[in-house]
Structures are given as C-alpha cells and as structure tokens.
Amino acid sequence: MEPISGSCLCKGVQYCIPSKTSQWLRCHCSMCRKAIGAEHCTYFAVPVAKVEFKSKDTLKTFRSSEDAERSFCSNCGCSICMKYGVEKNTIWFNAATLDVKVPVVDPHQIFTKDKFEYLDVMAQSHGTPDISAWVVDSAKSLA
Ligand SMILES: [Zn+2]
Ligand SMILES: [Zn+2]
C-alpha cells in the first residue's frame, strides 16, 4: 500500500508515514488549543521509527511542558506533531496536516472537561459552501 503523506501550509515540512495509523485522539486541553490555534486538535499515533520527513528545514520543536514537545513549521506556523516524554516510541501527528484521506482508527477524546465553550454553538450555526455568500465586511456589524 502507498504510504500516507502530510505537510504544512508552505510545504517546508513534508512527511511520510506507513499506510496504517493507530489510535486517533482528539484533545480539548488548553495547551493543545493554544499550540494549534484552534478549538481542539485531532492527532493520530505513529511509531517514531516509521516516520520519514521528506523535508524538515523549517521544522522547529518547542517544549510546552515537562511532559510534551511540540513541533511546528517556523515559516508558516503550522503545528505538525507532538511527543509525550513517557511515550519514547510514539509521535502524535496533527490530523489536519494530512494530504490524503485516512481511515480513523480507535477514536477517543480527552480533556473533554476543558472543551471550548463555543464549539457546540458553532456546530449548530448555518454555513455556506465557500466564502462567496458570506459577509464581506464583518466589522460593519459592530459599527
Ligand atoms: Zn510551513
Ligand atoms: Zn492536549
């Protein structure tokens, strides 16, 4: 089977992983939210030894706590992956960086007690298929 590929927005970081992933995890903790810049982050686990970076010149690593390191593209800011100190052999990749569709395996959510308060409200809001029908000057509504 073909390996799975992923990348950051500017393509400075590109990775390949095996055709199968293991556990998928959605984390709602405040550290992941700030690291990702989104209301939660979805990760999947890959054995360290199976990860191949095709390009990583802009990959930087930040120790966000005693327990975790987070790697991101220093050019475009995209959060790529994280590693827990207690899991020496596992990298958790940010699922939003995948370039191909991958089946979700064994999904689980953690830190649901910290769930972003606007998540449910936004999930129930109406949407448009692209930006064309959306308000052009949003700040006008505040004037
Ligand atoms: Zn980048
Ligand atoms: Zn988290």
Side-chain angles (χ1 to χ4, degrees):
M1 280 201 274
E2 289 278 305
I4 296 165
S5 60
S7 60
C8 66
L9 182 59
C10 77
K11 302 285 186 191
V13 179
Q14 296 177 53
Y15 64 84
C16 273
I17 55 173
S19 53
K20 281 187 182 165
T21 62
S22 61
Q23 187 178 12
W24 281 56
L25 193 64
R26 174 167 287 173
C27 186
H28 295 272
C29 86
S30 61
M31 293 181 76
C32 283
R33 291 189 347 220
K34 287 187 181 271
I36 304 303
E39 58 275 90
H40 53 64
C41 187
T42 303
Y43 303 97
F44 56 87
V46 181
V48 170
K50 304 260 181 171
V51 177
E52 181 195 336
F53 280 98
K54 294 173 113 181
S55 172
K56 62 173 185 178
D57 290 348
T58 58
L59 190 66
K60 289 260 163 59
T61 297
F62 166 69
R63 178 167 288 282
S64 56
S65 71
E66 280 188 21
D67 303 322
E69 284 182 353
R70 299 168 186 274
S71 297
F72 61 97
C73 174
S74 60
N75 186 47
C76 70
C78 177
S79 177
I80 304 290
C81 55
M82 72 171 296
K83 204 165 176 302
Y84 288 108
V86 293
E87 288 187 313
K88 300 271 182 253
N89 302 311
T90 303
I91 295 184
W92 291 92
F93 275 85
N94 179 351
T97 62
L98 284 167
D99 289 326
V100 292
K101 284 192 176 171
V102 175
V104 174
V105 179
D106 192 20
H108 188 70
Q109 298 192 50
I110 58 172
F111 284 104
T112 54
K113 68 178 177 59
D114 296 334
K115 199 171 176 183
F116 188 64
E117 60 189 294
Y118 306 118
L119 203 55
D120 294 334
V121 175
M122 289 305 293
Q124 290 167 22
S125 63
H126 62 87
T128 54
D130 56 37
I131 200 168
S132 61
W134 196 52
V135 178
V136 176
D137 188 354
S138 301
K140 275 186 181 172
S141 65
L142 298 174

